[in-house]
Amino acid sequence: MKSAADQKRIVSLQDISCLGQCSLTVALPILSAMGHETVILPSAVLSTHTGNWKGFTFRDLTDDIPPILDHWESYGIKFDGIYTGYIGNPAQFDMALRVKKSFLNDGAALIIDPAMADYGKLYTGFDQAFVKKMAVYASNADYLLPNITEAAFMVGMDYRERLSYDSGYIEALVNALLDTGAKNVVLTGVEYKEGEIGVCVCNRDERKMKYYFGEKLPTSVHGTGDIFASVFTGALIKGFDALEAASKAAKFVCMSIENTPSTHVYGANFEGILSKVNDL
Ligand code: PXL
């Protein structure tokens, strides 16, 4: 069953953090504002994200996913893309791959944000066994969107701090991920020099490293990886190439951080600038 007229339909598999401005509460408004029909496949329901909250609840929805997919399949539902983010249970990787195999229109992409770590550390609840499974899953990506921590953990290289590496390190990370099978890698959070932060984009067959750099803001906020991945996905599915989509996403992250008061601690206030997401 096709979506309306030339509107694209995308499905996003990640958690609902009820409070916290991340995962589906970011992906759904952003993809919708970009004009896409957005279908959600909630991986888990948490009271908050796991970042700076203690005592959060976590309900794993793994068992609900196969019957949801069976139901959609009985109607012949197809998607123009699947975007997966935070997945708390590795049993869901095969479910995402089922969507890739059986639910995608021609030319549709699997976009994977291996949301599990940042600043050299795994998020609460993950371990190295999970990283290994994520790396296998991520090798199926048409577009893989790790930060430097996630990339280093997945390929077994050392994590290096901002400004302490050169292009040799960054490009080795990207090449190692492409060697696993991922078709395109978009590595976020690349900082070669003070004042600038950017992304490195590379295609498996071309192996030409392309960069976008923007201004590095003095503050960092939780959930910006989800904002980046959502705008990237929305732009890619509109037909922009990976570097264009990544630069739009990076600009929108920057604007979201600028729109967030320093008193607001758990997420970025992207909502106030959402009307600008198609003007980037
Ligand atoms: O922003 C990524 C993310 C998504 N979902 C949950 C998280 C995090 C990061 O910590 O905890 C539940």
Side-chain angles (χ1 to χ4, degrees):
M1 194 187 285
K2 284 200 181 288
S3 54
D6 54 0
Q7 191 186 31
K8 304 284 188 190
R9 181 190 286 139
I10 172 147
V11 59
S12 187
L13 169 64
Q14 50 187 320
D15 70 284
I16 297 176
S17 285
C18 299
L19 174 75
Q21 289 167 310
C22 69
S23 39
L24 282 178
T25 63
V26 166
L28 180 54
I30 289 179
L31 290 166
S32 298
M34 295 179 86
H36 302 306
E37 179 190 341
T38 309
V39 175
I40 59 169
L41 202 42
S43 63
V45 178
L46 293 85
S47 50
T48 63
H49 61 64
T50 65
N52 29 18
W53 304 89
K54 298 237 176 323
F56 52 84
T57 69
F58 183 99
R59 180 169 300 276
D60 185 349
L61 296 180
T62 303
D63 291 345
D64 290 273
I65 294 175
I68 290 172
L69 295 181
D70 292 345
H71 187 215
W72 292 348
E73 199 162 43
S74 73
Y75 281 88
I77 299 291
K78 298 283 181 206
F79 300 106
D80 299 301
I82 167 170
Y83 152 37
T84 73
Y86 180 102
I87 293 180
N89 184 335
Q92 294 180 15
F93 294 145
D94 278 346
M95 299 172 191
L97 294 176
R98 175 178 164 199
V99 175
K100 180 176 183 186
K101 186 162 173 262
S102 307
F103 290 75
L104 294 190
N105 287 322
D106 288 346
L110 168 60
I111 298 146
I112 299 178
D113 175 0
M116 61 181 169
D118 211 350
Y119 303 107
K121 287 203 176 103
L122 286 170
Y123 297 148
T124 305
F126 294 128
D127 57 17
Q128 285 303 323
F130 182 89
V131 171
K132 284 211 173 77
K133 289 178 185 158
M134 176 63 91
V136 172
Y137 168 60
S139 70
N140 292 283
D142 294 305
Y143 295 87
L144 177 59
L145 277 45
N147 59 36
I148 292 174
T149 308
E150 291 156 347
F153 286 3
M154 283 192 290
V155 300
M157 283 173 57
D158 286 343
Y159 166 73
R160 296 213 198 142
E161 299 280 342
R162 58 187 289 270
L163 311 176
S164 73
Y165 46 72
D166 58 13
S167 59
Y169 172 71
I170 291 300
E171 295 178 9
L173 281 178
V174 170
N175 275 320
L177 288 168
L178 292 168
D179 288 344
T180 69
K183 288 203 181 69
N184 295 276
V185 169
V186 178
L187 183 66
T188 60
V190 177
E191 293 184 66
Y192 290 140
K193 58 179 188 203
E194 211 56 81
E196 268 188 11
I197 184 163
V199 292
C200 178
V201 178
C202 191
N203 171 272
R204 191 181 63 196
D205 302 327
E206 289 173 9
R207 297 290 171 133
K208 188 172 163 0
M209 303 285 163
K210 300 174 185 169
Y211 288 92
Y212 168 81
F213 284 100
E215 184 194 353
K216 160 90 179 174
L217 298 172
T219 50
S220 65
V221 201
H222 202 92
T224 49
D226 301 347
I227 296 174
F228 180 90
S230 301
V231 177
F232 176 87
T233 299
L236 190 80
I237 290 187
K238 276 178 176 233
F240 292 99
D241 71 25
L243 185 64
E244 289 167 326
S247 59
K248 285 175 189 294
K251 283 179 202 160
F252 194 73
V253 165
C254 198
M255 289 159 61
S256 301
I257 297 172
E258 282 174 325
N259 196 51
T260 306
S262 58
T263 49
H264 184 77
V265 291
Y266 57 75
N269 290 5
F270 68 95
E271 298 90 346
I273 54 156
L274 195 50
S275 60
K276 301 198 173 96
V277 72
N278 295 304
D279 306 335
L280 301 161

